[in-house]
Amino acid sequence: MNLPSRAITIAGSAAGGSAGIQADLKTFQELDVYGMSVVTAIVARHPETDKNVHLQTIEAIEAQFATAMKQVGADALKTGMLFSKEIIEKAADLIAGSDKKTVVVDPVMVGKLDSKLLADDAIDVLRKRLVPLADVITPNVPEASYLLNGRDVKTVEDMKKAAVDLHELGPQYVLVKGGRLKGEAVDVLYDGETLTAFEAPRVDTENTSGAGCTYSAAITSYMTKGYSMLEAVRLSKSFVTTAIEYGFTYTDMVGPTYHAAERMKGEAHKIKVEKL
Ligand code: PXL
């Protein structure tokens, strides 16, 4: 038997199951990657309370990481919601202290429901300590703007400039995701030399909760399997587009993407890849 590749997600638990650790583990499973988790916080957003982020202790975070590494080990590390300065520092220490693995940093800041997922004083350590360790960072448009000190990112041209400037922070690749803009869903990848656009048709739905987590978990998965970054992004964009297409809701709240859609429906999207 070929052993599966292994990935640890260091992220928040999203009670609704659409995002965070839950989205990551579902995505890893769909793509036949053995998933492990280090829970940084428990996010239980309820409309009637804003006390919804329950941070875990640094000791608990360290212990989870040590257990996963000792019991199974990892080919890739992925970060999602880290929330505080202290947790970002700890995640950076754990990543820097492990052998070279694939590192995917999703700089999670604000959820679809406008839940706050990063403390105000934490952006600087995110920028300086964690981003430079990444093979790829995957900001959406508001996150790219925030990482660039609030600069406007409103068009695909702005996204291209943002990708080039964010590369200066030290990651190998920058993927700026345009899902929150209007028109076709265009993402821009920069490797320090070449800009590449990935385009999928826009799916008309509100049910996209956790799409960013799902996308970056898919990229992590494909990277553990040895795909090039370009192929990993193309395959992952197809995966997340199909998941969005079959997103659903049972309530009056924004619903999840359907992580199993590509497997269950047997449908993949053709992603237009264009060097810019
Ligand atoms: O989708 C971003 C996100 C990431 N991580 C956690 C979340 C959310 C959105 O709600 O709850 C834990």
Side-chain angles (χ1 to χ4, degrees):
M1 183 183 97
N2 283 335
L3 297 177
S5 53
R6 305 155 296 174
I8 301 178
T9 168
I10 306 173
S13 165
S18 59
I21 291 274
Q22 287 79 357
D24 291 345
L25 292 178
K26 289 172 192 181
T27 302
F28 292 158
Q29 184 71 15
E30 286 302 320
L31 296 173
D32 190 27
V33 169
Y34 182 81
M36 291 158 280
S37 59
V38 172
V39 179
T40 56
I42 296 173
V43 180
R45 186 182 189 279
H46 186 279
E48 278 106 52
T49 174
D50 53 7
K51 289 208 182 78
N52 53 29
V53 176
H54 304 273
L55 297 186
Q56 302 300 292
T57 61
I58 296 295
E59 292 71 33
I61 290 167
E62 248 168 2
Q64 292 173 83
F65 187 78
T67 302
M69 288 300 264
K70 190 152 190 275
Q71 191 183 355
V72 179
D75 302 301
L77 305 174
K78 183 208 162 187
T79 65
M81 191 197 91
L82 303 173
F83 198 83
S84 74
K85 206 160 84 178
E86 292 74 22
I87 296 177
I88 295 172
E89 266 162 4
K90 177 49 68 183
D93 289 346
L94 293 172
I95 291 170
S98 53
D99 300 341
K100 178 73 185 121
K101 323 256 181 229
T102 293
V103 177
V104 175
V105 171
D106 188 5
V108 170
M109 296 183 194
V110 187
K112 285 268 155 35
L113 302 165
D114 281 342
S115 40
K116 192 173 166 65
L117 303 173
L118 183 74
D120 291 334
D121 65 356
I123 185 93
D124 234 32
V125 272
L126 178 63
R127 235 188 243 122
K128 294 199 179 116
R129 287 286 328 275
L130 194 59
V131 165
L133 300 173
D135 288 286
V136 60
I137 61 169
T138 60
N140 59 26
V141 158
E143 289 159 354
S145 162
Y146 203 43
L147 284 167
L148 293 166
N149 299 308
R151 189 168 100 192
D152 269 358
V153 183
K154 293 199 164 142
T155 63
V156 174
E157 279 311 306
D158 294 344
M159 286 169 58
K160 289 182 349 198
K161 289 196 198 91
V164 170
D165 291 345
L166 288 171
H167 194 266
E168 294 285 307
L169 297 177
Q172 297 293 311
Y173 290 82
V174 177
L175 180 68
V176 180
K177 301 172 298 184
R180 295 197 188 190
L181 299 182
K182 300 258 183 298
E184 299 300 278
V186 180
D187 306 328
V188 174
L189 181 73
Y190 186 61
D191 62 2
E193 279 179 20
T194 308
L195 283 158
T196 307
F198 298 80
E199 189 178 316
R202 176 158 302 272
V203 181
D204 184 20
T205 176
E206 299 258 288
N207 300 320
T208 59
S209 173
C213 306
T214 302
Y215 193 1
S216 52
I219 294 171
T220 309
S221 303
Y222 283 114
M223 286 180 71
T224 67
K225 292 165 184 280
Y227 286 93
S228 69
M229 185 63 73
L230 220 79
E231 272 300 278
V233 172
R234 186 181 67 79
L235 291 165
S236 301
K237 189 161 172 74
S238 168
F239 182 90
V240 75
T241 306
T242 311
I244 291 169
E245 190 172 26
Y246 288 95
F248 60 90
T249 185
Y250 281 97
T251 69
D252 57 1
M253 288 179 74
V254 168
T257 73
Y258 184 30
H259 301 95
E262 205 170 77
R263 172 171 57 88
M264 293 305 293
K265 306 293 177 185
E267 289 173 29
H269 270 272
K270 191 154 170 39
I271 305 300
K272 200 168 126 199
V273 181
E274 192 186 349
K275 298 256 188 246
L276 300 171

